[in-house]
Amino acid sequence: MTSINPSLYRPCVGTMMINAQSEVFVGKRIDNTEGDWWQMPQGGVDDGEDLDEAMFRELGEETGVARGLLEIVHRLPEELFYDLPPELHGKLWGGKYVGQRQTWYLTRFTGTDSDIDLEAHKHPEFCEWKWVAPGLLPELIVPFKREVYERVVAGFAEFL
């Protein structure tokens, strides 16, 4: 068994945000010029930042959803890792990392669609968004993150 050196992976939080119908929010990245890929909100954890706080911050930045409209349902107990494909090595995060190590949350969104504002942050990450069935997530994400999405869906299945 190969051991993973966590210091080579960017610390990150990801959120499966579900609505009252247990559909999942996905966004299409603004910088996604190749393919029709959609992803759940995710982002880096600042040095010393609490994971819950990082999740709420990232989710707010990417979706505009206010913290008061979210309930944490569950958090996966283990970090999930993915590697960047070779063509992206050295191009992201100042070349410091080979991939990400992600802590995943399941949150329930208690607001309405009008509470979602992709332009709430001065640097929007998504240009479009939609609600999808959880089982569709692995086929919507870029292939190098597919295994992580399969594990996220499986890990939260009992809560959906």
Side-chain angles (χ1 to χ4, degrees), residues 63-132:
T63 68
V65 172
R67 184 178 185 151
L69 298 175
L70 297 164
E71 301 169 359
I72 295 177
V73 176
H74 190 67
R75 182 174 117 184
L76 292 182
E78 74 282 352
E79 289 182 316
L80 302 182
F81 290 76
Y82 75 81
D83 293 315
L84 291 171
E87 64 270 16
L88 293 178
H89 285 186
K91 294 183 179 178
L92 298 176
W93 315 306
K96 184 177 177 181
Y97 302 107
V98 299
Q100 291 198 92
R101 54 187 176 100
Q102 300 180 314
T103 300
W104 277 92
Y105 288 82
L106 174 63
T107 62
R108 185 168 319 283
F109 172 61
T110 59
T112 65
D113 288 0
S114 64
D115 294 313
I116 295 172
D117 179 7
L118 300 183
E119 296 182 11
H121 192 256
K122 65 181 177 178
H123 301 292
E125 294 196 28
F126 298 132
C127 57
E128 298 177 53
W129 69 273
K130 61 185 176 181
W131 297 108
V132 300

Side-chain angles (χ1 to χ4, degrees), residues 1-91:
M1 181 172 163
T2 305
S3 65
I4 294 176
N5 179 349
S7 69
L8 297 177
Y9 292 81
R10 179 179 178 241
C12 178
V13 289
T15 306
M16 178 188 278
M17 181 173 74
I18 58 171
N19 63 16
Q21 293 76 38
S22 291
E23 296 169 315
V24 181
F25 174 97
V26 290
K28 186 172 188 178
R29 290 186 56 92
I30 285 177
D31 60 4
N32 179 3
T33 57
E34 298 178 22
D36 188 30
W37 308 118
W38 296 76
Q39 72 177 46
M40 293 180 282
Q42 65 174 58
V45 177
D46 296 333
D47 287 339
E49 187 175 24
D50 176 79
L51 290 175
D52 289 3
E53 293 302 317
M55 182 274 298
F56 284 120
R57 176 184 52 75
E58 282 292 335
L59 196 53
E61 289 175 2
E62 295 185 11
T63 68
V65 172
R67 184 178 185 151
L69 298 175
L70 297 164
E71 301 169 359
I72 295 177
V73 176
H74 190 67
R75 182 174 117 184
L76 292 182
E78 74 282 352
E79 289 182 316
L80 302 182
F81 290 76
Y82 75 81
D83 293 315
L84 291 171
E87 64 270 16
L88 293 178
H89 285 186
K91 294 183 179 178

Side-chain angles (χ1 to χ4, degrees), residues 26 38 130-141 146 149 153:
V26 290
W38 296 76
K130 61 185 176 181
W131 297 108
V132 300
L136 295 177
L137 292 168
E139 67 189 59
L140 295 174
I141 190 65
R146 191 160 289 148
Y149 271 42
V153 171

